[in-house]
Amino acid sequence: EGDEMETPSLEEGGEIRRLGKRFRKLDLDGSGSLRVDDFMSLPELQQNPLVRRIIDIFDTDGNGEIDFIEFIRGVSQFSVRGNQQQKLNFAFRVYDVDKDGFISNGELFQVLKAMVGSNLQDAALQQAVDKTILGADRDGDGRISFHEFCTIVGELDFTKKMVVDV
Amino acid sequence: MAWLTLPVDLLSKYLGLFTDVWLTLVFGFLIVPAVFGVPFGIHKYYIKILLSIFEWTTLQMELKAKEKNNQLYKHYTSGIIVKVPDSTLKQEIQDLRCSAGCLSLDPRFELADVFVFCRKALENIIDDDVTKRFSAQKLENWNLLTRSNHNFRYINLQLLALWILGVLIRYGVLLPFRVTVAVTGIFLFVVLSTVVGLIPCTKTYLSDKVHLMGYRLCVRSLTGIVTYHNRENKPKNDGICVANHTTPIDGIVLANDHCYSLVGQLHGGLLGLIQRAMVKSSPHMWFERAEVKDRRLVAKRLRDHVADENKHPVLIFPEGTCVNNTSVMMFRKGSFEIGCTVYPAAIKYDPRFADAFWNSSKFGLMGYLLRMMSSWAIVCSVWYLPPMNRKEGEDAMQFANRVKAAIAAQGGLVDLIWDAGLKRTKVKDTFKEEQQQLYSKILLGDHEYQNHPES
């Protein structure tokens, strides 16, 4: 549930070509796949607190590197032609660190901590996490499933926010 | 063996004739006018002809692409994605949360907040603002140089013929002329500068003339066509001149119009020879390698130089390294701490005629000069901006940023906060911590944030 990889929306030849160029440019050592270091060479990306989560989501086979297919698949989820489901899925996976299909209390805490750094005390963070799970958890299992996630987030107009027009 | 000597005789006669013609042309039309500062005059027509040829070539390529029914792959000079215009983290999160109908930004955490971070990350993965400043700018029209056309394929016979003609002209005619002028120029400059240095009186006047002549010859040797704007703002002797840095030629372009004192490291070889000759007739500041590390020493020498009214303004490039002329990157604050008047100048190169950016990771200096001399021309504009002084309560960094913004605005360049040194090093963690701070403020509401100490 929510784990299956959707097939990427068809992209025009021009888009793939441009992304291919970009991939080659990012691949500093020419190894054919991108590691965390290659991403971290982008200064603007270094300042993003969630960059490691996003790289982890791209890495579908879990080998620690992003090859070209994973790169295209990852980027296509933000395509103009992508559907709502894909985008919701992506955001869900930011939280679901162990990829078990549920956002646990610990996982939510982990991600929130990454976003605020040392600016909030752990106790306050834990409060926020507990409150969020309480509000979202319908079936009472103490964690948020994909379905529950969509119910909370689905009302918002996030399609604009989750689109990158290549 | 008479039959052998005959063709050799003929050859040497024609060669001799050829050399004579060559030398007359070069000296008569290029070197002597340059020495005395007389303009040559055909540059405008040269540029016009080249531009119309370039338009024709681009048209040919588009027609061909249309035939094959695909879009001509145009390099987007501003990036490969459409970006949302600058909005802050707070604005974006507010937009997102309030799309369901609430009115204000409640200070709490929402699951959907990650959307904003995700999109920003994706934007930067696909196209960031920084790394593209360190490689040559891409052109929309083709200017008959294969180095600027990454799509080069056989289009049609006419285009190929034109390109071959272009190559022949550039390497066979222009390059030798330019090399001759450059060599003569450097030779004359070194000799005259040393001679002037030996004459005790009227030193400044003569040395100025010699320096200007040297730079003029260098500019002519590159077929440099420079337009100077707002000359009334030219730097005076009581301050420093700062400009954006694209290539080592920047210094030559600026010094062609006014005398400056240069600052830099003392090199070996030919460059060192030129540097030593220069310093004999005019007070430039060359530092030994070890001295460069000592910032206080550098600052002191700068301060002393600026305080002396008889010495020329110092020319400094605060970015510290070459950037590709589409943006201005962070200025080092060292030169702004001295406390004197700053005369900013903006330099913008026209990319249609040559790619002036020196990508030091790709070619060395000699390779770069070769590329420059085999391009069509170096066309650029220099704007002198009105002098700026540090305001009350402004620190050196803020002052530097103000100057940077002025230069970027004038030259039509993008004003970036990033350090050009990022070409070689990584960003500090403080940027990430800043983002974390911003988000924390949103969670707590600005008022509450003040009351919460860091954990």
Side-chain angles (χ1 to χ4, degrees):
Chain A
E1 196 199 83
D3 271 8
E4 284 177 6
M5 271 302 309
E6 306 257 349
T7 46
S9 38
L10 277 169
E11 307 197 2
E12 292 176 8
E15 278 182 21
I16 301 244
R17 209 165 0 144
R18 287 195 283 278
L19 289 172
K21 270 194 97 168
R22 180 65 175 172
F23 184 85
R24 271 193 298 274
K25 190 158 179 218
L26 290 175
D27 185 11
L28 296 171
D29 57 4
S31 60
S33 55
L34 303 176
R35 284 167 296 115
V36 177
D37 280 345
D38 295 328
F39 282 104
M40 290 313 215
S41 69
L42 303 172
E44 285 156 307
L45 206 59
Q46 276 187 55
Q47 73 170 188
N48 192 315
L50 290 181
V51 66
R52 292 197 185 235
R53 288 299 316 131
I54 291 170
I55 296 175
D56 196 44
I57 296 174
F58 271 48
D59 184 15
T60 42
D61 62 7
N63 67 346
E65 297 189 343
I66 315 274
D67 59 37
F68 189 57
I69 302 288
E70 290 171 333
F71 183 71
I72 293 284
R73 276 227 190 95
V75 171
S76 75
Q77 290 170 76
F78 284 75
S79 156
V80 192
R81 283 178 299 280
N83 63 34
Q84 285 230 0
Q85 193 79 343
Q86 274 181 334
K87 299 185 200 295
L88 280 167
N89 202 309
F90 195 95
F92 182 79
R93 278 178 288 155
V94 173
Y95 293 108
D96 186 12
V97 182
D98 60 5
K99 305 188 188 186
D100 66 353
F102 295 96
I103 302 177
S104 70
N105 193 305
E107 286 172 337
L108 189 53
F109 184 86
Q110 202 180 349
V111 175
L112 194 53
K113 181 106 181 120
M115 284 154 84
V116 304
S118 53
N119 293 292
L120 256 75
Q121 289 175 342
D122 282 1
L125 271 181
Q126 189 60 58
Q127 251 186 357
V129 169
D130 293 336
K131 198 165 137 193
T132 311
I133 295 197
L134 221 61
D137 186 19
R138 295 297 157 79
D139 62 7
D141 61 354
R143 43 192 193 163
I144 307 179
S145 68
F146 184 56
H147 186 69
E148 289 161 349
F149 182 79
C150 291
T151 320
I152 296 283
V153 174
E155 305 163 348
L156 299 173
D157 182 19
F158 56 83
T159 34
K160 254 191 316 179
K161 288 285 166 230
M162 291 283 273
V163 165
V164 178
D165 193 4
V166 181
Chain B
M1 300 291 235
W3 60 270
L4 190 60
T5 57
L6 185 60
V8 175
D9 262 343
L10 276 175
L11 194 65
S12 63
K13 194 164 73 168
Y14 283 119
L15 212 57
L17 183 65
F18 180 69
T19 331
D20 280 340
V21 170
W22 171 285
L23 282 175
T24 325
L25 278 178
V26 172
F27 273 88
F29 286 110
L30 288 176
I31 298 192
V32 172
V35 170
F36 292 107
V38 171
F40 191 25
I42 62 162
H43 287 148
K44 268 202 310 262
Y45 305 109
Y46 180 57
I47 300 286
K48 272 206 189 115
I49 295 174
L50 280 179
L51 278 177
S52 42
I53 295 180
F54 296 160
E55 272 172 27
W56 184 83
T57 58
T58 316
L59 189 63
Q60 291 298 302
M61 289 175 70
E62 281 177 347
L63 285 175
K64 182 74 175 195
K66 222 174 251 176
E67 260 177 54
K68 291 202 170 156
N69 243 343
N70 47 7
Q71 265 280 327
L72 182 65
Y73 178 18
K74 281 217 166 154
H75 301 280
Y76 295 100
T77 44
S78 57
I80 64 174
I81 51 176
V82 177
K83 281 211 178 138
V84 174
D86 279 316
S87 53
T88 60
L89 187 63
K90 190 167 178 184
Q91 270 174 335
E92 295 213 25
I93 294 197
Q94 188 160 6
D95 279 346
L96 180 60
R97 290 193 190 170
C98 297
S99 59
C102 68
L103 286 168
S104 67
L105 191 61
D106 288 331
R108 60 161 198 272
F109 166 68
E110 291 228 13
L111 281 171
D113 288 347
V114 281
F115 282 122
V116 170
F117 287 102
C118 286
R119 205 209 63 224
K120 261 202 151 76
L122 256 293
E123 265 182 10
N124 291 327
I125 288 176
I126 297 177
D127 189 19
D128 73 306
D129 248 344
V130 178
T131 50
K132 65 181 174 220
R133 309 295 171 189
F134 300 135
S135 58
Q137 182 185 17
K138 306 253 196 287
L139 280 187
E140 301 248 330
N141 302 314
W142 189 36
N143 60 359
L144 285 178
L145 298 170
T146 37
R147 61 187 77 145
S148 58
N149 184 349
H150 303 265
N151 261 351
F152 183 65
R153 280 188 293 269
Y154 177 77
I155 303 283
N156 63 26
L157 196 59
Q158 293 151 305
L159 213 56
L160 185 66
L162 201 59
W163 177 73
I164 292 180
L165 185 63
V167 169
L168 284 174
I169 293 181
R170 283 185 295 118
Y171 283 89
V173 176
L174 294 177
L175 183 62
F177 267 119
R178 287 172 179 166
V179 169
T180 322
V181 174
V183 166
T184 320
I186 293 177
F187 176 73
L188 268 179
F189 178 65
V190 166
V191 164
L192 285 177
S193 186
T194 318
V195 163
V196 166
L198 295 170
I199 304 175
C201 53
T202 68
K203 198 170 170 184
T204 331
Y205 175 70
L206 274 178
S207 81
D208 281 0
K209 286 274 172 273
V210 168
H211 271 82
L212 281 175
M213 177 213 76
Y215 289 119
R216 232 191 337 260
L217 274 168
C218 285
V219 168
R220 294 284 169 95
S221 79
L222 295 164
T223 317
I225 301 165
V226 192
T227 320
Y228 297 96
H229 303 268
N230 306 338
R231 278 185 138 129
E232 67 272 10
N233 291 327
K234 252 200 252 192
K236 301 196 183 34
N237 283 357
D238 62 347
I240 59 175
C241 176
V242 301
N244 55 317
H245 201 31
T246 306
T247 143
I249 296 177
D250 281 342
I252 299 176
V253 162
L254 281 174
N256 184 36
D257 194 41
H258 186 74
C259 287
Y260 298 96
S261 291
L262 303 177
V263 183
Q265 200 185 309
L266 196 56
H267 290 91
L270 179 64
L271 202 52
L273 182 72
I274 300 176
Q275 285 178 318
R276 272 177 264 268
M278 282 168 89
V279 92
K280 287 206 171 73
S281 57
S282 175
H284 299 283
M285 284 175 281
W286 304 122
F287 291 94
E288 300 287 343
R289 195 168 205 129
E291 287 173 322
V292 171
K293 303 269 192 223
D294 188 350
R295 282 179 59 180
R296 270 167 309 141
L297 179 66
V298 174
K300 180 167 187 323
R301 273 181 78 173
L302 275 177
R303 230 177 255 129
D304 290 342
H305 185 105
V306 165
D308 187 344
E309 267 189 11
N310 293 322
K311 296 193 175 162
H312 294 302
V314 186
L315 183 57
I316 294 184
F317 297 105
E319 278 165 310
T321 184
C322 293
V323 189
N324 75 351
N325 207 232
T326 57
S327 65
V328 183
M329 300 192 100
M330 187 181 94
F331 277 3
R332 308 254 150 136
K333 63 181 185 324
S335 7
F336 296 90
E337 281 169 340
I338 301 176
C340 57
T341 316
V342 170
Y343 296 89
I347 310 178
K348 180 86 178 102
Y349 290 88
D350 191 333
R352 290 175 299 183
F353 298 97
D355 172 28
F357 168 55
W358 181 30
N359 194 340
S360 52
S361 55
K362 256 185 160 180
F363 348 94
L365 189 58
M366 279 301 134
Y368 171 72
L369 285 176
L370 187 67
R371 276 169 69 98
M372 284 302 100
M373 290 197 182
S374 61
S375 305
W376 295 113
I378 312 271
V379 180
C380 60
S381 291
V382 175
W383 287 272
Y384 292 109
L385 296 165
M388 293 171 118
N389 277 299
R390 189 154 75 170
K391 287 199 188 126
E392 280 293 321
E394 212 181 23
D395 70 3
M397 201 63 230
Q398 288 166 331
F399 181 37
N401 284 337
R402 197 159 56 93
V403 174
K404 176 159 70 82
I407 293 183
Q410 180 62 270
L413 306 165
V414 176
D415 184 4
L416 293 180
I417 57 163
W418 300 102
D419 186 347
L422 289 173
K423 206 159 47 168
R424 303 185 186 96
T425 61
K426 281 205 192 271
V427 140
K428 293 187 273 224
D429 271 336
T430 43
F431 284 104
K432 181 166 94 165
E433 284 158 17
E434 229 179 84
Q435 289 287 299
Q436 287 171 330
Q437 244 182 22
L438 281 173
Y439 185 61
S440 307
K441 276 199 187 147
I442 295 172
L443 287 194
L444 293 170
D446 295 307
H447 185 69
E448 275 289 307
Y449 184 74
Q450 257 93 30
N451 301 337
H452 277 255
E454 299 197 3
S455 58

